[in-house]
Amino acid sequence: MTRQPNPSKAPTLTSIARSLGLSPATVSNVYNHPERVSKSVSERVLAVADAVGYAGPDPVARQFRRGKSETIGVVFTDEMSFALRDPASVSLLAGLSTALQDAQLNLLLLPAGPPLGSSRVSNVMGAVVDGFVFYSVPDDDPHLAAALKRRLPIVVVDEPEVVGHADWLGLDDHSAAADLGRYLSRLGHRKVGVITSRLGRTRHNGPADEEMWKNAVYSVQRNRIHGLREGLFGADAGSIAVEERFENSVDAGVTALHTLLHRDPGITAVCCFGDVLAIGALEGARQRGLSVPGDLTVTGFDDAPEAARAGLTTVRQPLFEKGRIAGEMLLSHPFSDRPRRRYLPTSLEVRSTSDRPNRNSM
């Protein structure tokens, strides 16, 4: 039978172990080596720990360190390799590094991407850091929930938008996408396709119906699709074909473009919610013998350096500044009951990949 730890004393690893009739080493493994503990034991330990407010072993004490670690943890929604090759992520990291470099702080990259599991959560719980920057994680992300328990300064970039005592920094994605939709509507586009990165936690490459994108756990993608449709059709519930790709890559953009046009050859504009996907869509159009923008308009989102070189019409966001400001917000974290929210400006950069639809394709 489980005995409840004494509520008059601060819970410890030892008190949790005693209440469950387990050894302290077993409880320690739940946090530090979860692969050594059965799922049922792990669930029992975490349930009791959550009930008494125990957030896990103090990583600083565990490392025999005193004072500040002079390190900030950066948690990504994806694998480390993606963070280092995605142009938008690289620009944001550069800006964040600039802010932290001025404060003589280090960065620790903590990928939170698939496969999700307790081992990844334990990385967040055990990281010897003075604060966290979370970059684009889904609603109800377990890594963010774990970090919030540590009561360290936290800044969330982009998503999710409502995160307890953490500060938030990002875009008005709905408004930015609506501006793009209105621009395409003025050009005369009525059949528009969307290529989006992942909407859910499970791997899915294929069509995303309205129910799927309205219930997406990634609020950025959800808000952009909503905004684009509103900009295109106003209050009317016009339809747009949405193609989801789990990987945000050039190859994913190529295959998504082919799939979209196979489903509906009458599409005259394809909006990609990421410049990398858009560059892939441009290659896909080339493979099909389509001229851009003569036969097909293609747009992106971010305005990464590759976008200008490709002449891509895209929504610009200040990626480097976003990272720098996130760092500054973290350094000035007030631990207030009123978390700060800051929206950054966007602009539509019209270049050579967008024009009026070809009359023969309408």
Side-chain angles (χ1 to χ4, degrees):
M1 182 176 68
T2 300
R3 294 177 294 173
Q4 292 299 316
N6 188 342
S8 65
K9 297 181 180 180
T12 65
L13 185 148
T14 300
S15 68
I16 297 293
R18 186 181 299 115
S19 72
L20 290 166
L22 300 172
S23 70
T26 297
V27 176
S28 176
N29 280 337
V30 170
Y31 292 93
N32 301 314
H33 300 287
E35 70 280 358
R36 300 179 184 176
V37 184
S38 70
K39 182 179 179 181
S40 61
V41 169
S42 180
E43 288 176 348
R44 287 172 58 207
V45 170
L46 294 175
V48 170
D50 185 63
V52 300
Y54 178 66
D58 181 354
V60 177
R62 192 167 63 244
Q63 294 293 330
F64 305 101
R65 298 281 300 272
R66 291 183 178 180
K68 297 290 185 180
S69 70
E70 298 183 346
T71 300
I72 300 300
V74 183
V75 185
F76 279 82
T77 191
D78 221 307
E79 297 293 341
M80 187 83 72
S81 59
F82 171 81
L84 297 178
R85 70 175 185 269
D86 175 63
S89 300
V90 169
S91 294
L92 183 134
L93 275 176
L96 177 61
S97 299
T98 297
L100 300 184
Q101 177 179 295
D102 292 342
Q104 297 184 322
L105 296 176
N106 305 307
L107 280 181
L108 174 64
L109 298 184
L110 297 166
L116 294 174
S118 58
S119 61
R120 294 295 181 91
V121 173
S122 69
N123 285 345
V124 171
M125 293 299 294
V128 184
V129 296
D130 299 322
F132 289 101
V133 173
F134 275 78
Y135 179 38
S136 194
V137 297
D139 297 344
D140 300 323
D141 180 70
H143 311 88
L144 178 54
L148 288 168
K149 292 181 180 179
R150 294 185 58 180
R151 303 296 297 178
L152 293 172
I154 296 174
V155 174
V156 174
V157 178
D158 287 340
E159 56 191 340
E161 296 183 57
V162 181
V163 281
H165 65 259
D167 290 334
W168 179 88
L169 170 70
L171 313 175
D172 186 340
D173 288 286
H174 182 281
S175 178
D179 287 343
L180 173 61
R182 283 188 286 269
Y183 164 71
L184 294 174
S185 180
R186 289 194 299 270
L187 288 178
H189 292 282
R190 296 295 179 266
K191 283 198 169 185
V192 176
V194 169
I195 299 175
T196 180
S197 55
R198 70 188 65 161
L199 301 171
R201 293 183 178 88
T202 58
R203 182 175 292 274
H204 175 256
N205 295 301
D209 60 24
E210 187 169 335
E211 182 179 2
M212 287 180 63
W213 61 257
K214 279 189 172 181
N215 293 299
V217 297
Y218 288 94
S219 60
V220 164
Q221 309 304 332
R222 187 173 68 234
N223 291 338
R224 288 178 185 177
I225 298 172
H226 266 289
L228 178 70
R229 190 171 74 164
E230 181 180 292
L232 282 166
F233 305 112
D236 298 331
S239 64
I240 51 178
V242 178
E243 186 71 16
E244 178 187 1
R245 284 297 179 271
F246 194 76
E247 301 290 343
N248 185 28
S249 66
V250 171
D251 287 344
V254 172
T255 62
L257 187 282
H258 288 312
T259 303
L260 268 178
L261 295 185
H262 178 75
R263 285 164 55 194
D264 188 348
I267 288 174
T268 62
V270 174
C271 298
C272 305
F273 290 141
D275 289 340
V276 173
L277 291 171
I279 290 170
L282 291 174
E283 171 59 21
R286 187 196 65 78
Q287 292 175 3
R288 298 177 76 90
L290 299 175
S291 68
V292 176
D295 297 320
L296 185 70
T297 281
V298 176
T299 68
F301 205 107
D302 290 334
D303 200 24
E306 288 79 358
R309 290 195 287 269
L312 182 67
T313 292
T314 189
V315 176
R316 182 185 185 278
Q317 62 164 310
L319 293 164
F320 181 90
E321 286 300 297
K322 181 189 279 188
R324 182 185 62 78
I325 293 170
E328 292 175 352
M329 290 178 72
L330 190 75
L331 294 173
S332 62
H333 194 284
F335 278 109
S336 169
D337 290 334
R338 293 185 174 181
R340 296 171 295 178
R341 295 175 63 82
R342 181 163 178 180
Y343 288 90
L344 298 182
T346 60
S347 61
L348 179 60
E349 302 296 320
V350 176
R351 300 192 179 104
S352 63
T353 64
S354 60
D355 203 347
R356 296 182 178 279
N358 187 328
R359 291 186 176 276
N360 293 328
S361 63
M362 295 178 65

